Amino acid sequence: AQSVTQPDIHITVSEGASLELRCNYSYGATPYLFWYVQSPGQGLQLLLKYFSGDTLVQGIKGFEAEFKRSQSSFNLRKPSVHWSDAAEYFCAVGSSGGSYIPTFGRGTSLIVHP
Amino acid sequence: DSGVTQTPKHLITATGQRVTLRCSPRSGDLSVYWYQQSLDQGLQFLIQYYNGEERAKGNILERFSAQQFPDLHSELNLSSLELGDSALYFCASSVGTGSTGNTIYFGEGSWLTVV
């Protein structure tokens, strides 16, 4: 069964600093990978997704993620964090055949200090 | 705004009761998904419907049921409620069943508190 591990429960960064959120997945075939963000009291918003092709994926709000098959990772990065980026970030993995149902990690809470 | 609408936004009910959560998918989307988000379990997939038919089933309890109507809106029915059912219930929708390029859009959720 597919699974996702987000090793960091909380990450604290200063505004303007760079950010990397870690995500490791477990799935035998080629995965579909996603990053979602959840702001307080809000639903989940898709930041970016990887289905195939270029392993460096650009998303909204200045985020990017890189798919590394050899490391089973799909880490999320942003070169300069803004205070409004403080939120919960979820990595998810889907299957590559037929119907896919994303399995979510437990999330990483991002805290941004001024 | 994702275009997925969920009602009610908040609901408080007593143990043993039954509630219905409603979801309207984005215009044109045929798939509806239900997820449960709780502190101890995280985000758990419950069930998916595609064009009125059940498509996939996840960790959905027998006390819970769902359906998708001809107008494509969906309802999640939770019965014999227990304290542990308190959670945020998300509805999501997508165009197809899961083909390449399918993005799943989430609603803002329905907060259920069982007392």
Side-chain angles (χ1 to χ4, degrees):
Chain A
Q2 60 204 39
S3 66
V4 173
T5 301
Q6 293 182 248
D8 304 305
I9 298 175
H10 302 283
I11 289 278
T12 301
V13 298
S14 298
E15 191 169 15
S18 64
L19 171 70
E20 182 169 29
L21 301 182
R22 295 184 291 165
C23 172
N24 294 98
Y25 68 90
S26 173
Y27 187 69
T30 299
Y32 297 155
L33 295 159
F34 311 84
W35 275 100
Y36 282 85
V37 61
Q38 183 181 22
S39 299
Q42 300 295 314
L44 291 145
Q45 181 183 22
L46 181 69
L47 287 175
L48 47 80
K49 62 184 181 184
Y50 171 80
F51 277 68
S52 64
D54 193 349
T55 57
L56 184 61
V57 181
Q58 301 297 320
I60 63 171
K61 303 184 181 187
F63 286 93
E64 67 177 26
E66 187 171 11
F67 171 54
K68 293 186 177 180
R69 185 188 300 276
S70 61
Q71 297 176 21
S72 297
S73 69
F74 189 58
N75 294 348
L76 182 72
R77 300 192 295 248
K78 186 170 185 178
S80 178
V81 170
H82 188 262
W83 64 268
S84 61
D85 293 324
E88 191 85 13
Y89 290 81
F90 293 92
C91 181
V93 63
S95 63
S96 58
S99 172
Y100 80 98
I101 306 295
T103 297
F104 284 81
R106 296 303 299 267
T108 297
S109 178
L110 175 64
I111 301 164
V112 180
H113 281 169
Chain B
D1 183 6
S2 66
V4 179
T5 304
Q6 292 187 244
T7 57
K9 292 194 184 305
H10 301 274
L11 188 58
I12 301 174
T13 191
T15 54
Q17 294 299 305
R18 171 189 170 95
V19 299
T20 298
L21 309 180
R22 193 178 190 279
C23 170
S24 294
R26 293 188 331 140
S27 177
D29 285 359
L30 298 179
S31 268
V32 170
Y33 310 76
W34 286 97
Y35 279 82
Q36 179 194 57
Q37 184 180 36
S38 62
L39 282 175
D40 54 342
Q41 296 291 326
L43 260 167
Q44 296 284 316
F45 166 68
L46 297 178
I47 198 163
Q48 177 199 10
Y49 279 80
Y50 175 75
N51 204 21
E53 300 291 326
E54 182 181 306
R55 179 75 180 181
K57 187 176 276 192
N59 300 321
I60 188 166
L61 300 173
E62 286 191 10
R63 300 184 285 108
F64 296 179
S65 65
Q67 54 184 328
Q68 185 179 29
F69 295 87
D71 67 353
L72 301 177
H73 91 271
S74 177
E75 292 181 356
L76 178 67
N77 300 296
L78 315 174
S79 62
S80 303
L81 286 167
E82 303 174 358
L83 296 178
D85 297 327
S86 296
L88 181 58
Y89 290 85
F90 282 114
C91 173
S93 71
S94 65
V95 171
T97 61
S99 58
T100 301
N102 236 0
T103 294
I104 294 181
Y105 296 89
F106 282 77
E108 295 188 357
S110 292
W111 276 102
L112 173 66
T113 303
V114 182
V115 296

